[in-house]
């Protein structure tokens, strides 16, 4: 993947997640909602160890604001209330390589 592919995923949603299982559900949901070529970029940097190190916070990144909106909408529809909460969104928070 080229650096441009990471830079294109700049529409972020940072969420606080109460349980590790919900983290993994959101990782899968972010990949499902991402419309870009490399869908796994959406959940980069959200491994369990990253989530624990950030006190239950994870940031998901998308290549379009509509992908982010879809992710948040589907998470609200599918996951139990109180299992996660939106902390902040940004339109200028590009993904970075994880390896």
């Amino acid at each position: 993947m080229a650096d441009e592919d990471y830079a294109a995923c700049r529409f972020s949603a940072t969420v606080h997640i109460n349980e590790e299982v919900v983290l993994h559900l959101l990782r899968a949901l972010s990949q499902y909602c991402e419309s870009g070529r490399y869908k796994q970029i959406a959940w980069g940097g959200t491994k369990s160890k990253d989530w624990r190190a950030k006190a239950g916070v994870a940031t998901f990144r998308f290549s379009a604001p509509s992908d982010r909106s879809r992710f948040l909408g589907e998470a609200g529809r599918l996951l139990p209330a109180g299992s996660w909460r939106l902390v902040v969104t940004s339109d200028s928070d590009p993904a970075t390589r994880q390896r």
Side-chain angles (χ1 to χ4, degrees):
M1 289 176 260
D3 289 340
E4 297 82 36
D5 296 314
Y6 290 91
C9 290
R10 63 184 178 91
F11 300 96
S12 68
T14 299
V15 297
H16 183 270
I17 305 159
N18 296 326
E19 296 181 63
E20 188 172 352
V21 68
V22 175
L23 168 67
H24 292 285
L25 292 168
L26 288 172
R27 285 168 53 102
L29 188 59
S30 69
Q31 182 163 331
Y32 174 77
C33 293
E34 170 56 37
S35 63
R37 183 173 171 192
Y38 298 106
K39 297 178 180 295
Q40 66 272 28
I41 292 175
W43 47 264
T46 64
K47 292 178 183 163
S48 297
K49 67 179 177 109
D50 303 318
W51 170 74
R52 281 191 291 276
K54 294 177 183 172
V57 173
T59 300
F60 299 90
R61 293 176 175 85
F62 302 91
S63 58
S66 57
D67 296 342
R68 178 181 60 202
S69 293
R70 183 177 177 205
F71 168 75
L72 294 171
E74 291 294 335
R77 183 177 75 85
L78 296 169
L79 298 173
S83 64
W84 68 280
R85 69 177 166 78
L86 179 64
V87 175
V88 67
T89 62
S90 175
D91 291 349
S92 59
D93 183 15
T96 58
R97 291 182 182 276
Q98 298 301 307
R99 300 185 216 170

